Amino acid sequence: ASAHMKELLRCDEKGQPRADAAPASIELEFEGGQEERDTFGRLLCYAWCEGRNLNLHLVETGFSPYFTKYGYSRLHHAALAAAQERAR
């Protein structure tokens, strides 16, 4: 998954922007409209790269499960659940 994301984000093997490519445009989407973190301090959000939902992409391609142990996505549940079914 790491190498796959580096390719999508146009980074080299060290995670730095590649000199031969324009940097990817990244946007973050928050479920409640504002930044939220979990009990471990991790940022909870959806990452978008040039119009593509990266969270959904990782589930669709089998690099990540749709993890629902602590709750469901309020914004993208149907799409994430369907993507996981297709990836199986």
Side-chain angles (χ1 to χ4, degrees), residues 5-18:
M5 288 306 296
K6 287 175 184 172
E7 180 64 30
L8 284 175
L9 300 176
R10 299 186 208 119
C11 294
D12 64 18
E13 60 280 347
K14 295 180 183 176
Q16 299 299 312
R18 290 190 347 235

Side-chain angles (χ1 to χ4, degrees), residues 30-60:
F30 302 98
E31 287 213 340
Q34 58 188 7
E35 187 176 304
E36 184 180 349
R37 294 185 181 268
D38 68 8
T39 56
F40 299 102
R42 296 175 293 200
L43 187 61
L44 303 174
C45 66
Y46 301 96
W48 293 79
C49 178
E50 300 177 350
R52 173 189 275 175
N53 181 330
L54 294 178
N55 307 68
L56 180 60
H57 175 74
L58 289 173
V59 173
E60 286 174 330

Side-chain angles (χ1 to χ4, degrees), residues 62-82:
F63 284 108
S64 175
Y66 175 36
F67 193 71
T68 59
K69 181 177 180 179
Y70 300 107
Y72 296 94
S73 167
R74 293 185 302 264
L75 297 176
H76 304 288
H77 172 71
L80 289 163

